[in-house]
């Protein structure tokens, strides 16, 4: 897929991520999530790091710094607004079609820029759902973005499982909504609510 196909979904999923982030109260940061061993704080820190800072750094062909990788973004009471602003910078960095050409050096390997961008869009959406579900919110995604996420999950599922990013697929009906099928293929049960 190309810039014209993917950039609109990046914009959509970033906007929804920012909306969900603004709905996370400080009281929910210690709540459990569907991600094993991660509370909301740990999940949010991963989400913020890779889907906003990581997204911009990949566009600029830069590596994430150790300081960023170790930062507790939630320590800032205004972390959600900072995340929204960083998402805007990241999406703007991908607004140039030339950024989608060539490869991005990930340190251990290189990947076509468009493939990497689609994987980060998947991170925006899937972890957006994780955060929303853990904090009593709904996550909204367009049909087109849901299809992209499903494609990425199916294409790269084995790789994610190799690094414990996905659990085993969860069975859902064949006529389940596209995003539910994407979540299920990533090892999430789309019918579950907050962990409690």
């Amino acid at each position: 897929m190309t810039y014209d196909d993917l950039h609109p979904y990046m914009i959509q999923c970033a906007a929804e991520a920012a909306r969900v982030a603004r709905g996370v109260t400080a009281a929910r940061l210690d709540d459990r999530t569907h991600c094993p061993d991660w509370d909301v704080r740990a999940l949010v820190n991963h989400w913020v790091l890779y889907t906003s800072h990581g997204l911009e750094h990949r566009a600029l062909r830069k590596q994430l710094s150790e300081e960023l990788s170790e930062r507790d973004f939630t320590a800032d009471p205004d972390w959600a607004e900072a995340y929204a602003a960083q998402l805007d910078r990241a999406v703007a960095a991908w607004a140039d079609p030339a950024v989608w050409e060539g490869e991005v050096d990930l340190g251990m390997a290189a990947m076509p820029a468009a493939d990497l961008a689609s994987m980060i869009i998947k991170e925006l959406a899937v972890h957006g759902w994780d955060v929303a579900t853990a904090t009593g919110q709904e996550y909204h995604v367009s049909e087109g973005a849901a299809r992209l996420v499903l494609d990425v999950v199916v294409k790269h599922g084995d790789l994610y499982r190799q690094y414990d990013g996905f659990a085993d697929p969860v069975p859902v009906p064949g006529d389940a909504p596209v995003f539910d099928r994407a979540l299920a293929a990533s090892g999430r049960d789309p019918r579950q609510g907050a962990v409690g």
Side-chain angles (χ1 to χ4, degrees), residues 34 126 129 153 161 165-170 181-190 192:
H34 296 293
V126 171
W129 179 87
V153 168
R161 284 186 193 87
F166 287 171
D168 291 333
V170 173
R181 299 203 316 266
L183 292 168
S186 75
R188 292 158 170 84
D189 188 341
Q192 282 186 317

Side-chain angles (χ1 to χ4, degrees), residues 5-175:
D5 301 314
L6 294 172
H7 198 249
Y9 297 141
M10 183 183 287
I11 293 168
Q12 287 176 31
C13 291
E16 182 65 358
R19 186 194 67 77
V20 169
R22 289 183 175 113
V24 178
T25 63
R28 305 299 298 253
L29 290 172
D30 294 322
D31 288 0
R32 293 170 55 214
T33 72
H34 296 293
C35 301
D37 304 323
W38 282 8
D39 58 11
V40 171
R41 183 186 315 277
L43 175 58
V44 163
N45 280 324
H46 173 86
W47 189 43
V48 170
L49 176 65
Y50 288 104
T51 64
S52 64
H53 296 282
L55 184 60
E56 182 185 32
H57 278 63
R58 298 315 186 200
L60 300 175
R61 307 309 199 256
K62 292 168 56 178
Q63 300 295 321
L64 285 165
S65 69
E66 188 172 334
E67 184 277 325
L68 266 181
S69 298
E70 295 176 356
R71 184 184 299 176
D72 177 5
F73 297 100
T74 65
D76 176 0
D78 293 323
W79 71 265
E81 291 305 322
Y83 177 45
Q86 180 58 39
L87 281 169
D88 286 345
R89 285 189 289 274
V91 170
W94 285 90
D96 179 357
V99 172
W100 297 74
E101 303 297 327
E103 294 192 329
V104 176
D105 180 4
L106 302 175
M108 297 174 294
M111 177 175 285
D115 283 359
L116 181 62
S118 69
M119 292 172 78
I120 299 177
I121 294 168
K122 185 276 302 172
E123 290 280 293
L124 279 164
V126 171
H127 285 320
W129 179 87
D130 290 333
V131 174
T133 302
T135 57
Q137 303 182 69
E138 291 188 2
Y139 184 83
H140 305 288
V141 63
S142 71
E143 187 80 0
R147 289 193 182 285
L148 169 65
V149 172
L150 177 59
D151 288 347
V152 172
V153 168
V154 169
K155 180 177 179 180
H156 299 288
D158 289 343
L159 177 65
Y160 281 104
R161 284 186 193 87
Q162 184 180 335
Y163 294 98
D164 297 323
F166 287 171
D168 291 333
V170 173
V172 291
D175 61 352

